[in-house]
Amino acid sequence: MLISIQVDDDGADKVGRLIFIPGDGHSENVKDPNHAQPEILSKYDGSDWIDNSCDGWVKVEVQVPGSDTEPLLSKHHATVISGPPNFSWGINAPTTLFNIMESIYWYRPGQPAEREVDYDFTKDIWPTLILPGMISWTNYEALQGHGPSTNGHFASDNIIAILKGKDGVKRNNLKNRVFEKLRKPDYEDPTQAGIWWMPRMSGDNDNMQEAGTFLGGLTPDIRNYTALTKLQYECFRKWKDDPEPLSPNWTPEPPRNIEYYDKQDQPEQLTLVSLESTIGDSLFPGMETDWIAKEPAIYDLSISNLRPPFRINYDPPAESTASPVKPGHLSRGLAIPWQSDFWECSSTWWPSSRPNNVITKAAYENTMGKSGTQSQYDKAVHTRSDWTRGFRATPDMGQTETSDNIPLYSNTDMVRYWHFLGFVRKYQKDYPIGSTSERTFTAWVESE
């Protein structure tokens, strides 16, 4: 799709950045116009169902108002994907599509085999380090080991103090402990097929298996567990081996708007912001796109002068053997309607986008009361409700993954009522300490 705009068009913001409005998430069955949302009979491939999840490319032609110069045509295609909403603002997956693409481009053909990996703590380590604790706000299993008052909550002041502190032994022990818990990338170590390695989430092949749920003497499939990308893993290795402490001036709070960055850095930051809330692993089949996102062949790997260089290979050169990616290819492997798989993938799949167990704002404030003590806070963060409370349960009637004649009531309710579900957002409130000071407590609660 080619779009011609002027920099003062309604389709752009005040500095000329193009704005896209995604689909509204509606899904319907076209078989009977008088019954647009009947009971769903298939988990993933609903017959006669349509939704507005989609993808495609855009090239832009820009004309400056009042100028008689020729319009400027963008050199490369941009990709637009309209997918399910993210219901947990500020809580991201351990591996995003940005991480997937960054690793593919780093290790693309033609790069030195022993290319030195460097890391930026704020960009490469911190977002992944804090995610188990962040996901604990939307997933009860993560709460057990990484909740706000546990040693595994790496965003705590105590952990940051260790990383900044002068005690090198204590700091290195912490970093080694983190690295040893990471599952190796690319299914490198099949013995790590278990819940003792991180991330503790399901993989591209199927549901991860909890301890005690597989036959004795058998090893579960490593492909059923997610892992960081090779580049993410090597960045953590580099961080683990770095003896230097974190700068005493470092702060975990990110800049609040894009204007904080120099203009030459803004395109990269806009790409990061767009992709950091996506799901890069696992893709079974996925949220915004499916397994195809991990195939190097779909990318134009010849680009090196852009930051970042990520571009889909929509128009390969004549001498190339690569097949062009067509509009719709990135999302064609996803479930239809999208809400059906969105229901199915609870618990260990995508709790960063699709919450499982939440703290309602009312329950949080009721537990905290007016005094807001530490013990009240610890109780409040464990006061959970099912995110999809009120949805009908689907009884076990012998259906299988391929059954197509038994109603899936929960899946149907997700189609009909997803837009009534709450968003999980950061919530801060001050509580008194004595008569002269206050303490701020922070939680992510279902607030709207």
Side-chain angles (χ1 to χ4, degrees), residues 181-192:
K181 293 290 288 184
L182 294 178
R183 190 174 289 109
K184 294 180 180 179
D186 302 328
Y187 314 128
E188 182 180 327
D189 187 353
T191 66
Q192 292 183 333

Side-chain angles (χ1 to χ4, degrees), residues 104-115 301-302 304:
I104 287 174
Y105 274 81
W106 182 266
Y107 293 107
R108 59 185 162 180
Q111 299 298 322
E114 300 300 325
R115 189 180 181 191
L301 300 180
S302 67
S304 59

Side-chain angles (χ1 to χ4, degrees), residues 23 42 45 69 99 134 143 188 217 262 341 346 369 411 421 428:
S42 172
D45 299 305
T69 59
N99 300 129
M134 296 300 296
L143 176 65
E188 182 180 327
D262 293 335
D341 190 39
S346 59
N411 305 53
L421 293 168
Q428 289 183 312

Side-chain angles (χ1 to χ4, degrees), residues 31-287:
K31 187 175 183 179
D32 182 358
N34 297 316
H35 196 195
Q37 293 180 335
E39 299 290 352
I40 287 182
L41 302 177
S42 172
K43 291 182 178 181
Y44 307 113
D45 299 305
S47 178
D48 299 315
W49 280 88
I50 61 171
D51 63 25
N52 52 21
S53 295
C54 59
D55 67 271
W57 61 263
V58 173
K59 293 193 79 170
V60 178
E61 184 180 79
V62 179
Q63 177 69 59
V64 179
S67 172
D68 56 1
T69 59
E70 289 294 318
L72 180 64
L73 180 65
S74 58
K75 293 182 179 180
H76 304 285
H77 299 81
T79 298
V80 178
I81 298 178
S82 178
N86 185 334
F87 283 92
S88 306
W89 296 1
I91 301 176
N92 301 325
T95 296
T96 68
L97 289 176
F98 186 95
N99 300 129
I100 294 293
M101 297 177 195
E102 187 178 40
S103 190
I104 287 174
Y105 274 81
W106 182 266
Y107 293 107
R108 59 185 162 180
Q111 299 298 322
E114 300 300 325
R115 189 180 181 191
E116 183 74 14
V117 172
D118 201 359
Y119 78 93
D120 178 289
F121 181 82
T122 300
K123 171 182 171 293
D124 301 314
I125 305 300
W126 181 250
T128 306
L129 187 66
I130 66 172
L131 280 177
M134 296 300 296
I135 291 175
S136 74
W137 296 110
T138 58
N139 180 272
Y140 199 78
E141 283 77 11
L143 176 65
Q144 306 311 304
H146 299 281
S149 298
T150 66
N151 292 331
H153 195 78
F154 297 117
S156 70
D157 292 340
N158 290 338
I159 295 295
I160 295 175
I162 292 173
L163 295 177
K164 290 182 176 182
K166 297 180 180 180
D167 190 336
V169 173
K170 194 172 186 178
R171 182 174 62 253
N172 291 335
N173 285 342
L174 170 64
K175 292 161 73 172
N176 275 285
R177 181 164 62 90
V178 169
F179 186 74
E180 289 170 357
K181 293 290 288 184
L182 294 178
R183 190 174 289 109
K184 294 180 180 179
D186 302 328
Y187 314 128
E188 182 180 327
D189 187 353
T191 66
Q192 292 183 333
I195 62 173
W196 303 276
W197 289 272
M198 297 291 116
R200 185 180 172 178
M201 298 175 70
S202 297
D204 285 350
N205 190 57
D206 206 341
N207 277 299
M208 76 174 208
Q209 293 155 292
E210 297 280 1
T213 61
F214 45 90
L215 297 176
L218 298 180
T219 301
D221 193 334
I222 186 64
R223 297 173 300 168
N224 290 8
Y225 299 83
T226 191
L228 303 183
T229 67
K230 183 178 180 181
L231 183 58
Q232 284 181 292
Y233 188 81
E234 291 305 319
C235 284
F236 265 88
R237 186 198 302 276
K238 192 81 172 183
W239 170 71
K240 182 257 301 183
D241 293 337
D242 187 351
E244 295 300 317
L246 196 59
S247 167
N249 298 321
W250 182 85
T251 172
E253 289 297 326
R256 295 187 179 276
N257 57 64
I258 191 65
E259 280 71 27
Y260 171 89
Y261 298 95
D262 293 335
K263 283 191 175 181
Q264 65 267 24
D265 297 326
Q266 289 183 14
E268 182 173 18
Q269 292 301 319
L270 287 171
T271 301
L272 175 60
V273 167
S274 298
L275 293 176
E276 69 179 357
S277 63
T278 60
I279 302 296
D281 203 60
S282 58
L283 299 177
F284 186 75
M287 286 275 278

Side-chain angles (χ1 to χ4, degrees), residues 287-354:
M287 286 275 278
E288 298 83 12
T289 181
D290 64 1
W291 298 280
I292 194 174
K294 296 183 178 181
E295 294 294 333
I298 74 166
Y299 300 99
D300 184 350
L301 300 180
S302 67
I303 296 176
S304 59
N305 61 337
L306 298 179
R307 294 176 50 200
F310 314 152
R311 290 296 184 273
I312 300 296
N313 200 7
Y314 292 111
D315 190 20
E319 65 273 13
S320 173
T321 59
S323 299
V325 177
K326 298 180 180 180
H329 273 209
L330 301 180
S331 56
R332 64 179 177 175
L334 302 179
I336 187 167
W338 66 265
Q339 292 96 334
S340 187
D341 190 39
F342 201 66
W343 164 263
E344 292 293 330
C345 290
S346 59
S347 187
T348 61
W349 288 98
W350 307 316
S352 58
S353 297
R354 186 248 190 256

